[in-house]
Amino acid sequence: MDVRPSWRGLAGIGTAVLISLPMQHDRDPVPPPSPPPAADPGVEVRGEVSLPPLLAGTFTATVKTWDTTAADERIGHARAAGLLLDAGVRWKSTGDCADRRRPYCTSLEAIRYGTLMRTVDLRRDSGCPVTVTGGTETGHADSRYSHGNGYKVDLAHNRCLDAYVTRTYHYWRTRADGAALYRAAPSDVWADEPTHWDVLFR
């Protein structure tokens, strides 16, 4: 028996083959994104930096809170007292006064800005109560780096401050009047007097 394929059947087979073939695109496939270029070691990269857990929190930054180039500027009592108050530093006098011409007063008139701000730094660095009991008032010894010239302050003794000074600074020598001297820096001297620390900030 002669069996001849039907044209209609062949057309159906061709259609099925075409449908089963994957569709082709004229466009080339999109390549995967390239990795970012390696950083040039000579170029500074700005942005947020995350420290590894073992390093996070192990760095301490020392931040200056005042302009050291203005250290020799002289400031008035009201401004000086305000700066101390803002920093949590007290000042007091036996005469409850601030007249620079009276030795029983505590005056900050014409004190060096650097001397005052070093006192503020001490309060922050030590964490101790700090009370100024002597400033630029008359009655102190005269010298180039004296109270009257704005380089020195008297700070009341207290257990916290005494421990901080003797632990942090180096014993230097004993003064002629018996006061032990400690050096905080090549030019800073703390004298341990009976009722207070006589402090030179240069």
Side-chain angles (χ1 to χ4, degrees), residues 77 91-108 132-140 147 154 196:
H77 179 88
W91 72 273
K92 67 178 184 178
S93 71
T94 55
D96 193 24
C97 53
D99 190 340
R100 189 179 184 185
R101 298 166 297 179
R102 302 179 185 275
Y104 50 81
C105 296
T106 297
S107 175
L108 302 173
V132 176
T133 61
T136 58
E137 66 280 350
T138 189
H140 298 282
H147 281 271
D154 291 339
H196 60 267

Side-chain angles (χ1 to χ4, degrees), residues 46-200:
R46 296 182 179 273
E48 295 184 358
V49 178
S50 298
L51 291 176
L54 291 178
L55 295 180
T58 61
F59 298 95
T60 302
T62 301
V63 180
K64 284 292 184 184
T65 59
W66 54 281
D67 182 5
T68 56
T69 63
D72 286 328
E73 177 187 343
R74 309 294 165 151
I75 60 177
H77 179 88
R79 182 186 173 196
L83 290 171
L84 292 181
L85 181 63
D86 289 344
V89 178
R90 298 178 57 208
W91 72 273
K92 67 178 184 178
S93 71
T94 55
D96 193 24
C97 53
D99 190 340
R100 189 179 184 185
R101 298 166 297 179
R102 302 179 185 275
Y104 50 81
C105 296
T106 297
S107 175
L108 302 173
E109 187 66 32
I111 194 170
R112 289 174 66 251
Y113 179 67
T115 301
L116 190 83
M117 296 311 295
R118 292 287 298 280
T119 306
V120 169
D121 287 345
L122 172 70
R123 170 70 178 89
R124 184 189 64 242
D125 295 342
S126 68
C128 297
V130 175
T131 302
V132 176
T133 61
T136 58
E137 66 280 350
T138 189
H140 298 282
D142 290 330
S143 68
R144 178 180 178 183
Y145 301 111
S146 64
H147 281 271
N149 287 335
Y151 285 90
K152 299 180 80 174
V153 289
D154 291 339
L155 304 179
H157 282 299
N158 64 66
R159 183 175 299 178
C160 179
L161 184 61
D162 293 351
Y164 177 81
V165 172
T166 56
R167 181 180 67 248
T168 306
Y169 306 140
H170 299 289
Y171 171 77
W172 180 28
R173 61 182 177 86
T174 300
R175 202 167 60 185
D177 62 356
L181 301 181
Y182 294 82
R183 300 193 75 164
S187 56
D188 295 349
V189 180
W190 291 66
D192 187 2
E193 298 189 359
T195 61
H196 60 267
W197 289 99
D198 178 57
V199 187
L200 167 63

